[in-house]
């Protein structure tokens, strides 16, 4: 996929974390290589997303009732599609500090 789209995905993940992290909270950006895998992750100490809603928020126009007003419900759907076009896997999990951990992981192609 186009590199500009990857920048959009990264901005969306960081922007979401900034929006939902409360004042004085923690926001961490992680870029690391583990073996043959490359990971880009954003962790925050915001309210997180319940496990039962994580798949749904990756769909277009899905918004949680507690979501900040002004969004369209497209951000994570865009991130997921861009990740797919770039050969990455996008996942949402609970962050160690209680918020959300959104990650993009590239694994080596299997033969």
């Amino acid at each position: 996929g186009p590199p500009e789209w990857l920048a959009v995905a990264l901005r969306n993940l960081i922007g979401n974390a900034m929006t939902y992290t409360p004042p004085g909270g923690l926001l961490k950006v992680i870029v690391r290589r583990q073996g043959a895998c490359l990971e880009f992750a954003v962790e925050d100490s915001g309210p997180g997303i319940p496990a039962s809603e994580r798949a749904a928020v990756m769909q277009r126009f899905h918004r949680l009732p507690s979501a900040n007003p002004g969004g369209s419900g497209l951000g994570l759907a865009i991130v997921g599609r861009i990740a797919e076009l770039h050969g990455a896997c996008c996942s949402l999990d609970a962050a160690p500090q209680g918020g959300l951990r959104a990650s993009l992981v590239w694994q080596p192609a299997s033969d």
Side-chain angles (χ1 to χ4, degrees), residues 8 39 63 69 85 93 100 102 104-105:
V8 168
E39 177 184 32
R63 293 178 45 83
L85 291 171
D93 301 289
L100 185 69
L104 302 177
V105 176

Side-chain angles (χ1 to χ4, degrees), residues 18-103:
M18 290 173 64
T19 297
Y20 290 101
T21 299
L26 177 65
L27 188 151
K28 186 189 300 187
V29 176
I30 302 160
V31 179
R32 67 179 166 188
R33 171 168 262 155
Q34 289 189 304
C37 296
L38 177 65
E39 177 184 32
F40 176 88
V42 179
E43 296 179 357
D44 66 59
S45 60
I49 298 174
S52 61
E53 290 285 330
R54 291 182 191 145
V57 298
M58 296 300 293
Q59 302 302 312
R60 292 178 296 159
F61 306 113
H62 185 85
R63 293 178 45 83
L64 296 176
S66 60
N68 285 348
S72 63
L74 287 172
L76 290 173
I78 290 169
V79 169
R81 181 65 177 134
I82 291 171
E84 181 183 329
L85 291 171
H86 282 81
C89 177
C90 180
S91 64
L92 304 176
D93 301 289
Q97 58 273 16
L100 185 69
R101 182 178 205 281
S103 63

